[in-house]
Amino acid sequence: ARRLPYVKEPRTIRRPLTDRQVRRVLEGFKTHRDRAMAGLMWAMGLRIGEVLSLRLGDLDWEHGTALVQGKGNRERSLPLPEAVGRLVRQYMEVERPRGCVEERMFVVLKGPRRGRALTYAGVRRLFRYYRERLKLPEAHPHRFRHTFAANMVRQGLSLPMLMRLMGHTWISTTLRYLHFDDRELREHYEKALSRLATSGDGTATDSGSVL
């Protein structure tokens, strides 16, 4: 029988959350723990599994860094933003059960599993609850990671640096996280064209004189 040609299905585009949506989610969280986890995803681009694998000793408070266990057991050291550090400290000081022997940082706060490591399924249930409560169906945990990537590129971070921060082996994987609508594309293009047409001292370059 004649084989049908393979047609590659288009990849679903995951648009980043807006600043307003992020604020709604963070303000809607009930616990310091949940805000800290979302902060690690949004401000550092961590995966759910990377957040849950963090151990108490992985945060270097003196130097402001976090040791992250990524896919394939690949470790990477990342800068720990001060604001995220504050969220984690609030959780540790106010909510994490006293005398808890669990090495993992994020644990269950109530019920029979209190003090035991939070699971991937548990985080998914939490976010599902908040999505329904806040009426924000876009607020999936991984969407915070996508938002981190888009925000970093908007602020001028290079793709190789973003690739390192996100723990990707291939830059093509990093590119999948980026999506800009037509308005954003025009804004970036016009800014780049303006910089090309004018040098740092305000004089037109050769390229600018051609335009």
Side-chain angles (χ1 to χ4, degrees):
R2 184 179 179 182
R3 297 180 61 185
L4 295 174
Y6 171 73
V7 178
K8 187 176 181 179
E9 295 183 4
R11 185 178 296 274
T12 301
I13 294 175
R14 294 183 176 89
R15 291 177 171 80
L17 298 170
T18 65
D19 291 342
R20 181 180 179 185
Q21 288 174 326
V22 171
R23 283 195 299 270
R24 281 187 61 193
V25 174
L26 293 178
E27 292 171 358
F29 282 151
K30 290 184 174 182
T31 67
H32 297 301
R33 180 199 63 187
D34 298 348
R35 280 189 289 273
M37 290 193 299
L40 288 163
M41 298 174 195
W42 175 75
M44 296 175 64
L46 300 193
R47 304 175 178 94
I48 300 177
E50 292 172 343
V51 171
L52 295 179
S53 68
L54 284 175
R55 298 179 182 273
L56 298 177
D58 288 340
L59 298 191
D60 185 337
W61 299 105
E62 181 180 356
H63 299 96
T65 60
L67 185 64
V68 177
Q69 189 80 23
K71 285 187 176 181
N73 293 321
R74 293 190 297 270
E75 290 184 342
R76 65 189 190 278
S77 179
L78 299 178
L80 177 67
E82 186 175 336
V84 177
R86 284 198 300 270
L87 291 174
V88 176
R89 283 184 183 275
Q90 287 176 327
Y91 154 66
M92 298 287 290
E93 295 171 1
V94 177
E95 294 174 344
R96 198 173 196 272
R98 302 298 178 189
C100 179
V101 297
E102 173 59 55
E103 291 185 4
R104 299 292 176 93
M105 179 171 296
F106 295 104
V107 300
V108 178
L109 301 179
K110 296 179 180 179
R113 296 190 69 254
R114 184 174 186 269
R116 296 177 63 180
L118 194 61
T119 65
Y120 189 94
V123 173
R124 291 180 68 88
R125 283 196 298 270
L126 279 172
F127 273 79
R128 182 165 59 247
Y129 164 76
Y130 286 121
R131 285 198 303 274
E132 294 173 355
R133 180 170 177 264
L134 300 172
K135 295 180 173 55
L136 272 176
E138 305 89 351
H140 290 265
H142 206 66
R143 190 68 64 89
F144 282 83
R145 181 168 159 88
H146 280 267
T147 304
F148 164 80
N151 286 343
M152 290 298 100
V153 172
R154 287 192 185 103
Q155 297 305 316
L157 189 73
S158 69
L159 284 178
M161 291 294 290
L162 179 59
M163 174 184 168
R164 166 75 184 278
L165 288 173
M166 299 188 74
H168 289 155
T169 303
W170 306 102
I171 202 164
S172 57
T173 306
T174 309
L175 289 171
R176 294 174 188 168
Y177 282 74
L178 306 179
H179 171 77
F180 300 101
D181 58 30
D182 292 342
R183 177 185 57 79
E184 289 177 302
L185 185 62
R186 174 175 285 277
E187 288 178 359
H188 281 274
Y189 168 71
E190 290 179 347
K191 286 179 181 178
L193 193 63
S194 177
R195 287 193 295 267
L196 179 65
T198 307
S199 65
D201 59 4
T203 59
T205 63
D206 291 340
S207 298
S209 62
V210 171
L211 294 173

